[in-house]
């Protein structure tokens, strides 16, 4: 077996060192994350101990304990080899879900890396959830938008469509997949082009058609990856999410999972019978079937995270691994804040708030399946966020609870593109039914409210653009909302576009300490 040629020699020469690094022992656990760079630069002690001297023991003790706890379940790994080995051969049932994002499977070379990660844990029998390759989803949306203004006869020449075809054909060639898979891939690419021709002819791209359009990314990536594994001797089977029984509402582009029905279907589909083949499921993330229409639906951008946790909860697993291109959930956006660092441990609530208020590492609903199973079945599901580009990084472990006694601030997140509405009552704000009328107007206009603050005579609130999936509200929609309030005669409404929301994810029991530190910082920012 040979990996794709582009970086084969460099990767294979570095892989043994990475594997050695991954297993370096330390007195604070299997991995000494704060010393990771120093570990890279120094040789391990011949007797297996950490050669670094922990001179700053007292200062870092709490952090080290958190990292040790986050890593305490780190599984045993196979030695790095040129030959992929079937993982989990000693397991009767799937015992982990591994989800890999688009950047992790951006091309054939990255798919090889994902296969190495997936096959490196001998005692884990994984279900693998994949996103579309690289920027495929964005290219699909771009192709749909361009098809609206393109003659049907010229659709095949659309640049985004050509890029999609080239990416997947090149990956199929580099991965040396079988002829049957290549034929299936070409059939999907043909269907994709036909759909774009239809968009061009109808001069319309409905939400339902958009979901069908973007589904091709995951459907292509999972077929290529499963075929590659089989070629390398690893038993694997591709599934579209609806093959397992993933059911959602019919809210196209941002559907809600129907948990009870989906849990039962997935549990039946993925529970291995005695004597059944031990094939690794390779599942499309992000996708489902509408409960009434039976049409393809999507779970919103980043929905593959949610797909993974739904499967993990359905199977009653202890852990779901979400492999990204960052070293875990960070204290802030590293593009904006120098020195942002991974957070070793998070609770369900913290992770959910981070996602809703701007962090892009996890889907906002990704923890909902864990909440569901905890409430209904008493089952605890942990989510571990890891970096597929840096396997040695400790990552972040998200669980039901953690020791918050010493916790003050977890993360600072920024949510841009916010629309701010000020609603000033023309009567008393406290009048019976006033708030109900306000939110009924939002409901009638199909607009989701994010953050709300009230005073004696006014309400200020923000509108969440993520609820619109890939766009913000247009001025016409906002003007219609203002007109609806005016027609009711209950309030004057004004709005501001392109605002941002800065959120502090913190220990609420220490709010006074936090405000004492934060308020001066805000004062300087305003000045």
């Amino acid at each position: 077996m040979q990996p794709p040629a582009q970086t084969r020699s460099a990767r294979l020469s570095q892989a043994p060192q990475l594997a050695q690094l991954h297993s370096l022992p330390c007195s604070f656990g299997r991995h000494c994350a704060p010393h990771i760079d120093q570990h890279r630069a120094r040789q391990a002690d011949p007797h297996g101990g950490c050669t670094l001297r922990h001179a700053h023991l007292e200062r870092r003790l709490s952090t080290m304990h958190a990292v040790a706890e986050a890593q305490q379940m780190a599984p045993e790994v196979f030695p790095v080899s040129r030959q992929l080995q079937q993982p989990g051969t000693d397991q009767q049932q799937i015992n982990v879900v591994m989800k890999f994002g688009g950047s992790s499977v951006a091309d054939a070379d990255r798919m090889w890396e994902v296969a190495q990660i997936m096959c490196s844990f001998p005692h884990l029998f994984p279900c693998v959830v994949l996103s579309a390759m690289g920027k495929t989803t964005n290219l699909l949306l771009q192709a749909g938008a361009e098809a609206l203004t393109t003659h049907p006869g010229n659709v095949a020449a659309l640049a985004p469509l050509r890029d999609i075809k080239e990416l997947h054909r090149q990956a199929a060639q580099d991965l040396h997949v079988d002829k049957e898979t290549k034929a299936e891939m070409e059939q999907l690419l043909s269907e994709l082009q036909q759909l774009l021709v239809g968009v061009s002819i109808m001069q319309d791209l409905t939400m339902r058609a958009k979901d069908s359009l973007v589904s091709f990314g995951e459907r292509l990536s999972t077929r290529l990856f499963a075929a590659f594994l089989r070629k390398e001797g690893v038993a694997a089977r591709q599934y579209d999410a609806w093959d397992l029984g993933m059911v959602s509402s019919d809210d196209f582009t941002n559907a809600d999972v129907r948990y009870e029905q989906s849990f039962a279907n997935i549990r039946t589909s993925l529970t291995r019978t005695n004597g059944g083949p031990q094939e690794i499921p390779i599942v499309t993330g992000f996708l489902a079937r509408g409960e009434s229409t039976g049409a393809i639906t999507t779970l919103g951008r980043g929905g593959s995270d949610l797909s993974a946790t739904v499967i993990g909860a359905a199977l009653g697993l202890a852990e779901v691994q979400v492999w990204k291109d960052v070293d875990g959930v960070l204290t802030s956006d590293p593009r904006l804040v120098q020195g942002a660092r991974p957070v070793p441990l998070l609770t369900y609530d913290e992770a959910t708030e981070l996602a809703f208020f701007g962090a892009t590492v996890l889907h906002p609903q990704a923890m909902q399946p864990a909440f569901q199973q905890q409430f209904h079945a008493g089952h605890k599901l942990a989510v571990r966020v890891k970096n597929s580009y840096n396997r040695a990084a400790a990552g972040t472990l998200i669980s039901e609870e953690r020791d918050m006694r010493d916790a003050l601030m977890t993360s600072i997140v920024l949510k841009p593109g916010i629309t701010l509405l000020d609603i000033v009552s023309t009567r008393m704000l406290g009048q019976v039914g006033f708030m109900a009328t306000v939110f009924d107007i939002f409901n009638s206009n199909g607009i989701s409210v994010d953050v709300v603050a009230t005073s004696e005579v006014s309400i200020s609130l923000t509108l969440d653009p993520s609820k619109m999936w890939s766009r913000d509200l247009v001025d016409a929609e906002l003007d219609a909302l203002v007109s609806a309030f005016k027609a009711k005669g209950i309030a004057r409404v004004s709005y501001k576009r392109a605002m941002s929301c800065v959120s502090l994810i913190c220990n609420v029991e220490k709010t006074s300490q936090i405000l004492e530190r934060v308020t001066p910082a805000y004062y300087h920012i305003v000045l």
Side-chain angles (χ1 to χ4, degrees), residues 21-44:
L21 169 64
H22 189 66
S23 60
L24 282 176
C26 176
S27 58
F28 291 98
R30 293 185 60 189
H31 305 80
C32 181
H35 292 162
I36 206 73
D37 292 331
Q38 295 162 291
H39 273 310
R40 284 187 174 124
R42 302 186 183 194
Q43 289 185 330

Short mmCIF file of all heavy atoms in Angstrom, two decimals, residues 21-44:
data_model
loop_
_atom_site.label_atom_id
_atom_site.label_comp_id
_atom_site.label_asym_id
_atom_site.label_seq_id
_atom_site.Cartn_x
_atom_site.Cartn_y
_atom_site.Cartn_z
N LEU A 21 5.74 10.75 20.46
CA LEU A 21 5.32 11.92 21.23
C LEU A 21 3.97 11.69 21.87
O LEU A 21 3.75 12.02 23.02
CB LEU A 21 5.27 13.14 20.31
CG LEU A 21 4.61 14.40 20.86
CD1 LEU A 21 5.42 14.91 22.04
CD2 LEU A 21 4.52 15.45 19.79
N HIS A 22 3.05 11.08 21.11
CA HIS A 22 1.69 10.87 21.59
C HIS A 22 1.66 10.01 22.84
O HIS A 22 0.77 10.10 23.66
CB HIS A 22 0.87 10.21 20.48
CG HIS A 22 -0.60 10.16 20.77
ND1 HIS A 22 -1.38 11.28 20.87
CD2 HIS A 22 -1.42 9.11 21.01
CE1 HIS A 22 -2.62 10.94 21.12
NE2 HIS A 22 -2.66 9.63 21.23
N SER A 23 2.67 9.13 23.00
CA SER A 23 2.66 8.21 24.13
C SER A 23 3.68 8.56 25.21
O SER A 23 3.92 7.78 26.10
CB SER A 23 2.93 6.79 23.62
OG SER A 23 4.19 6.73 22.98
N LEU A 24 4.30 9.75 25.13
CA LEU A 24 5.27 10.13 26.16
C LEU A 24 4.60 10.18 27.52
O LEU A 24 3.60 10.85 27.71
CB LEU A 24 5.88 11.50 25.84
CG LEU A 24 6.97 11.52 24.77
CD1 LEU A 24 7.37 12.95 24.52
CD2 LEU A 24 8.17 10.71 25.20
N PRO A 25 5.14 9.48 28.52
CA PRO A 25 4.55 9.53 29.85
C PRO A 25 4.95 10.79 30.59
O PRO A 25 5.94 11.43 30.30
CB PRO A 25 5.12 8.28 30.53
CG PRO A 25 6.42 8.05 29.86
CD PRO A 25 6.26 8.54 28.42
N CYS A 26 4.15 11.15 31.56
CA CYS A 26 4.42 12.32 32.38
C CYS A 26 3.76 12.11 33.73
O CYS A 26 2.74 11.43 33.82
CB CYS A 26 3.89 13.58 31.71
SG CYS A 26 4.08 15.08 32.69
N SER A 27 4.30 12.68 34.77
CA SER A 27 3.77 12.44 36.10
C SER A 27 2.37 12.98 36.27
O SER A 27 1.70 12.67 37.24
CB SER A 27 4.69 13.08 37.14
OG SER A 27 4.83 14.47 36.90
N PHE A 28 1.89 13.80 35.35
CA PHE A 28 0.54 14.36 35.45
C PHE A 28 -0.41 13.68 34.49
O PHE A 28 -1.48 14.17 34.21
CB PHE A 28 0.57 15.86 35.15
CG PHE A 28 1.26 16.62 36.23
CD1 PHE A 28 2.58 17.00 36.09
CD2 PHE A 28 0.60 16.94 37.40
CE1 PHE A 28 3.22 17.69 37.08
CE2 PHE A 28 1.23 17.64 38.39
CZ PHE A 28 2.55 18.01 38.24
N GLY A 29 -0.06 12.56 33.95
CA GLY A 29 -0.94 11.86 33.02
C GLY A 29 -0.15 11.38 31.83
O GLY A 29 1.06 11.55 31.74
N ARG A 30 -0.84 10.79 30.87
CA ARG A 30 -0.17 10.21 29.72
C ARG A 30 0.41 11.26 28.81
O ARG A 30 1.25 10.99 27.99
CB ARG A 30 -1.14 9.32 28.93
CG ARG A 30 -1.57 8.09 29.71
CD ARG A 30 -2.43 7.21 28.84
NE ARG A 30 -1.68 6.79 27.67
CZ ARG A 30 -2.22 6.16 26.64
NH1 ARG A 30 -3.50 5.92 26.64
NH2 ARG A 30 -1.49 5.81 25.61
N HIS A 31 -0.09 12.49 28.89
CA HIS A 31 0.39 13.54 28.00
C HIS A 31 0.64 14.81 28.80
O HIS A 31 -0.15 15.18 29.65
CB HIS A 31 -0.64 13.86 26.91
CG HIS A 31 -1.03 12.65 26.14
ND1 HIS A 31 -1.96 11.75 26.61
CD2 HIS A 31 -0.61 12.18 24.95
CE1 HIS A 31 -2.10 10.78 25.74
NE2 HIS A 31 -1.30 11.02 24.73
N CYS A 32 1.72 15.46 28.53
CA CYS A 32 2.07 16.71 29.22
C CYS A 32 1.85 17.85 28.23
O CYS A 32 2.79 18.32 27.59
CB CYS A 32 3.52 16.64 29.68
SG CYS A 32 4.06 18.11 30.56
N ALA A 33 0.59 18.26 28.06
CA ALA A 33 0.25 19.21 27.01
C ALA A 33 0.96 20.56 27.14
O ALA A 33 1.41 21.10 26.15
CB ALA A 33 -1.26 19.42 26.96
N PRO A 34 1.10 21.15 28.35
CA PRO A 34 1.77 22.44 28.41
C PRO A 34 3.22 22.39 27.97
O PRO A 34 3.82 23.41 27.66
CB PRO A 34 1.65 22.82 29.90
CG PRO A 34 0.45 22.10 30.38
CD PRO A 34 0.49 20.80 29.64
N HIS A 35 3.81 21.19 27.96
CA HIS A 35 5.21 21.06 27.58
C HIS A 35 5.38 20.45 26.20
O HIS A 35 6.45 19.95 25.87
CB HIS A 35 5.94 20.17 28.60
CG HIS A 35 6.07 20.82 29.94
ND1 HIS A 35 6.35 20.11 31.08
CD2 HIS A 35 5.95 22.11 30.33
CE1 HIS A 35 6.41 20.93 32.11
NE2 HIS A 35 6.16 22.15 31.68
N ILE A 36 4.31 20.47 25.41
CA ILE A 36 4.32 19.71 24.17
C ILE A 36 5.42 20.18 23.22
O ILE A 36 6.09 19.36 22.59
CB ILE A 36 2.93 19.78 23.48
CG1 ILE A 36 2.70 18.56 22.60
CG2 ILE A 36 2.74 21.06 22.72
CD1 ILE A 36 2.44 17.31 23.35
N ASP A 37 5.63 21.49 23.12
CA ASP A 37 6.68 21.98 22.23
C ASP A 37 8.05 21.57 22.71
O ASP A 37 8.93 21.24 21.92
CB ASP A 37 6.60 23.50 22.10
CG ASP A 37 5.35 23.94 21.37
OD1 ASP A 37 4.87 23.14 20.53
OD2 ASP A 37 4.86 25.04 21.64
N GLN A 38 8.24 21.59 24.05
CA GLN A 38 9.52 21.17 24.58
C GLN A 38 9.74 19.68 24.39
O GLN A 38 10.85 19.22 24.14
CB GLN A 38 9.60 21.55 26.06
CG GLN A 38 9.59 23.07 26.27
CD GLN A 38 9.24 23.42 27.69
OE1 GLN A 38 8.12 23.22 28.12
NE2 GLN A 38 10.22 23.90 28.43
N HIS A 39 8.67 18.92 24.50
CA HIS A 39 8.77 17.48 24.24
C HIS A 39 9.23 17.21 22.82
O HIS A 39 9.99 16.29 22.56
CB HIS A 39 7.40 16.80 24.46
CG HIS A 39 7.17 16.39 25.88
ND1 HIS A 39 8.09 15.66 26.61
CD2 HIS A 39 6.11 16.59 26.69
CE1 HIS A 39 7.60 15.43 27.82
NE2 HIS A 39 6.40 15.99 27.89
N ARG A 40 8.74 18.03 21.89
CA ARG A 40 9.12 17.83 20.50
C ARG A 40 10.62 18.05 20.33
O ARG A 40 11.25 17.46 19.47
CB ARG A 40 8.35 18.81 19.62
CG ARG A 40 6.89 18.42 19.39
CD ARG A 40 6.27 19.34 18.37
NE ARG A 40 4.93 18.90 18.03
CZ ARG A 40 3.85 19.66 18.14
NH1 ARG A 40 3.95 20.88 18.55
NH2 ARG A 40 2.68 19.19 17.80
N ALA A 41 11.16 18.97 21.12
CA ALA A 41 12.55 19.36 20.94
C ALA A 41 13.52 18.48 21.73
O ALA A 41 14.72 18.52 21.49
CB ALA A 41 12.74 20.82 21.36
N ARG A 42 13.01 17.71 22.68
CA ARG A 42 13.90 16.90 23.50
C ARG A 42 13.60 15.43 23.34
O ARG A 42 12.50 15.03 22.98
CB ARG A 42 13.74 17.28 24.98
CG ARG A 42 14.01 18.75 25.26
CD ARG A 42 13.97 18.99 26.73
NE ARG A 42 14.16 20.41 27.03
CZ ARG A 42 14.44 20.86 28.24
NH1 ARG A 42 14.59 20.03 29.24
NH2 ARG A 42 14.58 22.15 28.44
N GLN A 43 14.53 14.59 23.66
CA GLN A 43 14.30 13.16 23.59
C GLN A 43 13.68 12.70 24.89
O GLN A 43 13.96 13.24 25.96
CB GLN A 43 15.62 12.42 23.38
CG GLN A 43 16.20 12.63 21.97
CD GLN A 43 17.44 11.78 21.78
OE1 GLN A 43 18.16 11.51 22.71
NE2 GLN A 43 17.66 11.39 20.55
N ALA A 44 12.86 11.68 24.80
CA ALA A 44 12.27 11.11 26.01
C ALA A 44 13.33 10.37 26.81
O ALA A 44 14.31 9.86 26.27
CB ALA A 44 11.14 10.15 25.64
#
